[in-house]
Amino acid sequence: MIYFEALAQTFDFGKFKGCDLGEVLMCAPDYITWVTNNIEGERCAFSEEIIEQMRTVFPYIELTDDLLRKIEQRRDEYLEDQYFKTVTLEEMLESDREDEECRMAIEETYDRYNGTYAQDEMGYSDDDIDTIFDGDPSAYWNID
């Protein structure tokens, strides 16, 4: 797999094997379109920086919306694949735990202590009352 991040990177496949991306863009700019449309995504992807360089240095290359969508999709697939190759199972599980804790923090409930002054008037959630008042909503008077 080649993930082009610089114009000096070389192709390791095809008729331009051994040539750098900049050379290919100068002599055969349509090859990038052909590669994007015909080579499996695992073989070749382009960074956002390369796309910007193509627009700046090689403005004559036609980067259609369809082509850019395919390039972006390939880049996303490549980056996702690289992420899963480098992240450990423990890191993924920890991330899942953090996501769950965040979701639970957002989903505050107001059911268990409904009808109490601490909840109805002061706005404390069930979790707040459990944490701050040790589950006793009548202890609201003890807050400074």
Side-chain angles (χ1 to χ4, degrees), residues 42-56:
E42 305 86 49
R43 295 286 304 197
C44 183
F46 303 97
S47 70
E48 289 181 46
E49 292 80 15
I50 287 295
I51 299 304
E52 287 307 312
Q53 288 178 8
M54 281 186 205
R55 287 183 168 143
T56 305

Side-chain angles (χ1 to χ4, degrees), residues 97-131:
R97 278 192 291 276
E98 289 171 1
D99 290 347
E100 178 66 17
E101 289 170 7
C102 182
R103 186 186 62 72
M104 289 174 64
I106 292 170
E107 294 177 1
E108 295 181 334
T109 60
Y110 294 85
D111 299 326
R112 287 181 284 148
Y113 301 106
N114 192 11
T116 64
Y117 183 83
Q119 191 164 84
D120 294 347
E121 297 297 322
M122 298 180 77
Y124 290 109
S125 70
D126 292 337
D127 189 48
D128 291 338
I129 293 171
D130 287 338
T131 304

Side-chain angles (χ1 to χ4, degrees), residues 132-144:
I132 300 168
F133 308 123
D134 293 325
D136 182 5
S138 64
Y140 66 87
W141 57 269
N142 200 17
I143 298 295
D144 293 71

